[in-house]
């Protein structure tokens, strides 16, 4: 059994270096995953036949058993390592992966070489541990990614997006929030969750209503002046109208085929301040 442990560690060294390099690149900063994943996928496909052939070459007692059990042990150990050190540097990831591969293949060779029922029990425990640790890591990675995305969005919104929404859009409920550019907030309104949005509001950090209306209305009827800071563009064919209004320093555009003029004026006349967290976390009422 002692010789099998040493020979198994030798197999693990080769597998660890070969598969560890593409795996370690996943930990590089600003890496595009699609450039690395093909190498990782090829390595995963070859890990069992490579372990088997190396086991035969190094004269491990049961090379096929070792080649099948070792990758499972390696996966469990890697998942455990990811839980302990989620973002190692690439060279440390390569070194750590190689060490884990040597431990996994040595353990697999030793377990496969004994006649006791212990290996079967250990294999069953390992498979269970593999499922549990993989699910745990995936959940934590998803939670971390979602939290980081939320943090980045909040920072982005605080930096340039107008933090305001219409005080009221008659007969409509806010359904969706997104941004068109860094300084333009887009809002979609509908009658309820089951209805398609039919009112679209865009809020810019600044802008001139007359110029915005003139640029928008090139293919429509001439812009109509409603007040000093209120301009209206209409399309008679489908009843669509777009109201351009200045509220404070912000430019508000109310775009709809469903609202009346009075309703559009009500939607574009007053804004209420909101937080970046409100916009990022917003969910329509049920």
């Amino acid at each position: 059994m002692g010789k099998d442990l040493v020979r198994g560690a030798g197999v693990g060294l080769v597998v660890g270096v070969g598969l560890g390099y593409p795996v370690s690149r996943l930990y590089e900063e600003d890496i595009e995953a699609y450039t690395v994943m093909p190498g990782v996928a090829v390595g995963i496909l070859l890990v069992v036949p490579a372990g088997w052939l190396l086991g035969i070459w190094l004269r491990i007692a049961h090379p096929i058993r070792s080649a099948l059990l070792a990758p499972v042990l390696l996966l469990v150990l890697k998942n455990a390592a990811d839980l302990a050190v989620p973002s190692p540097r690439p060279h440390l990831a390569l070194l750590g992966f190689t060490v884990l591969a040597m431990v996994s293949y040595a353990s697999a060779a030793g377990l496969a070489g004994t006649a006791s029922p212990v290996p079967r029990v250990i294999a069953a425990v390992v498979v269970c541990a593999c499922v549990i640790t993989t699910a745990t890591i995936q959940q934590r990675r998803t939670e971390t990614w979602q939290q980081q995305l939320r943090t980045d969005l909040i920072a982005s919104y605080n930096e340039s997006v107008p933090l305001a929404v219409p005080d009221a859009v008659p007969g409509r409920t806010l359904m969706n929030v997104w941004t068109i550019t860094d300084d333009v907030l887009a809002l979609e309104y509908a009658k309820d969750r089951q209805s398609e949005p039919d009112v679209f509001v865009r809020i810019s950090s600044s802008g001139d209503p007359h110029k915005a209306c003139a640029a928008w209305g090139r293919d429509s009827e001439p812009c109509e002046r409603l007040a000093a800071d209120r301009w209206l563009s209409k399309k008679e064919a489908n009843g669509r109208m777009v109201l351009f209004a200045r509220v404070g320093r912000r430019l508000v555009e109310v775009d709809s085929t469903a609202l009346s003029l009075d309703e559009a004026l009500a939607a574009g006349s007053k804004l209420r301040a909101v937080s970046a967290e409100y916009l990022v976390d917003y969910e329509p009422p049920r």
Side-chain angles (χ1 to χ4, degrees), residues 54-106:
L54 287 170
I56 294 175
W57 182 57
L58 292 176
R59 294 180 294 176
I60 291 176
H62 299 282
I64 187 61
R65 295 181 189 176
S66 300
L68 291 173
L69 179 58
V72 181
L73 289 171
L74 178 57
L75 178 60
V76 173
L77 292 177
K78 181 183 180 300
N79 287 344
D82 280 344
L83 286 174
V85 187
S87 300
R89 294 181 179 179
H91 66 279
L92 291 178
L94 173 58
L95 176 61
F97 188 88
T98 303
V99 171
L100 294 179
M102 293 175 66
V103 172
S104 300
Y105 277 84

Side-chain angles (χ1 to χ4, degrees), residues 10-269:
V11 175
L13 176 62
V14 176
V15 172
V17 172
L19 182 56
Y21 174 70
V23 169
S24 68
R25 291 198 59 210
L26 293 173
Y27 297 95
E28 293 179 7
E29 293 184 3
D30 302 323
I31 189 69
E32 296 291 347
Y34 71 87
T35 65
V36 181
M37 286 308 298
V40 176
V42 170
I44 292 173
L45 290 174
L46 294 179
V47 68
V48 172
W52 174 48
L53 293 175
L54 287 170
I56 294 175
W57 182 57
L58 292 176
R59 294 180 294 176
I60 291 176
H62 299 282
I64 187 61
R65 295 181 189 176
S66 300
L68 291 173
L69 179 58
V72 181
L73 289 171
L74 178 57
L75 178 60
V76 173
L77 292 177
K78 181 183 180 300
N79 287 344
D82 280 344
L83 286 174
V85 187
S87 300
R89 294 181 179 179
H91 66 279
L92 291 178
L94 173 58
L95 176 61
F97 188 88
T98 303
V99 171
L100 294 179
M102 293 175 66
V103 172
S104 300
Y105 277 84
S107 301
L111 290 171
T114 178
S116 72
V118 173
R120 297 180 183 178
V121 176
I122 293 178
V125 172
V126 165
V127 170
C128 293
C130 179
V131 173
I132 294 172
T133 55
T134 301
T136 301
I137 287 176
Q138 186 60 41
Q139 180 181 358
R140 291 195 179 184
R141 284 176 175 170
T142 301
E143 291 173 353
T144 300
W145 177 81
Q146 291 175 340
Q147 184 61 39
Q148 186 61 50
L149 177 61
R150 179 179 182 274
T151 301
D152 292 344
L153 280 175
I154 289 173
S156 174
Y157 279 25
N158 277 322
E159 184 176 354
S160 59
V161 174
L163 300 179
V165 298
D167 188 55
V169 177
R172 300 298 187 278
T173 299
L174 179 60
M175 300 303 296
N176 192 26
V177 177
W178 51 291
T179 58
I180 297 177
T181 63
D182 289 342
D183 61 350
V184 179
L185 180 66
L187 309 165
E188 296 181 352
Y189 290 82
K191 292 182 179 180
D192 50 53
R193 291 177 65 96
Q194 286 71 43
S195 304
E196 291 292 326
D198 58 5
V199 179
F200 306 91
V201 178
R202 293 175 289 274
I203 303 176
S204 305
S205 299
S206 62
D208 181 85
H210 185 199
K211 292 181 179 179
C213 185
W216 181 272
R218 290 171 182 169
D219 299 326
S220 308
E221 297 294 324
C223 289
E224 177 184 352
R225 184 178 183 181
L226 304 178
D229 54 0
R230 302 283 191 277
W231 291 82
L232 185 68
S233 176
K234 290 184 178 180
K235 284 191 176 181
E236 300 294 346
N238 59 7
R240 180 183 184 184
M241 62 180 179
V242 185
L243 173 70
F244 298 84
R246 179 183 287 128
V247 180
R249 292 179 298 174
R250 297 187 172 106
L251 173 65
V252 181
E253 304 172 37
V254 182
D255 185 349
S256 177
T257 59
L259 295 183
S260 66
L261 178 57
D262 289 341
E263 291 172 334
L265 286 169
S269 62

